[in-house]
Amino acid sequence: MYKSSIKPVLDIFVATLLFLLLLPVFIPVAIILLLVNRGNPFFLQTRPGKNEKLFSIIKFKTMNDKRGVNGVLLPDSQRLTKTGSFIRSTSLDEIPQLLNVIKGDMSLIGPRPLLPEYLPLYNDFQKQRHDVKPGITGWAQVNGRNAISWEEKFKMDVYYVKNCSFVLDAKIVFLTLKKVILRSDISANNSVSMQRFKGNK
């Protein structure tokens, strides 16, 4: 009942309310990134959602597009701007994803949407993470985020799918707010992002 009927309505209502409340933050951040990036303040990327349906996720763009002499983009760590680093550390880069929730592509809470190229690499157990909409935050994010292994992350994703409830969602919201305030588990080993998933060995 909660997962199929109440949660979708609650997602859209809360996401709309949060977006309106955060507009005084959203607009200045967008303008600052427009100037810092000398262009688009938003980062759009294709991600798989529920039932592996592809959609475009939107976040604030925290890295520039600088390339090396060979024309290839520089490593993430060299393209992350000081402004972008601050925006990531405060999780402000996640605000635009509220629009994804309002559109119905995402939920406020669920397994984080990963890259489409990972889809053929999942085993049957891991594929269950796509039985629900992906979320802005989730059970894995409040239990280690980038600091845990892929295997642990997938186990937590499937745990959420199997045990989704209002109580669990409320717990995740509380723990997410706590981590945002403390700025903990932002990245693993001070890296810019988690290592890529290479499949099951």
Side-chain angles (χ1 to χ4, degrees), residues 147-163:
I148 58 177
S149 68
W150 280 111
E151 184 178 3
E152 292 173 306
K153 186 188 294 287
F154 291 138
K155 284 181 179 178
M156 291 182 185
D157 287 344
V158 175
Y159 173 85
Y160 177 79
V161 172
K162 299 293 187 182
N163 296 276

Side-chain angles (χ1 to χ4, degrees), residues 9 26 121 187:
V9 175
F26 181 92
L121 304 178
S187 62

Side-chain angles (χ1 to χ4, degrees), residues 1-21:
M1 177 69 176
Y2 170 73
K3 189 195 301 188
S4 62
S5 302
I6 300 176
K7 183 177 172 68
V9 175
L10 198 59
D11 276 334
I12 294 175
F13 174 76
V14 175
T16 301
L17 180 61
L18 285 175
F19 186 75
L20 292 174
L21 291 174

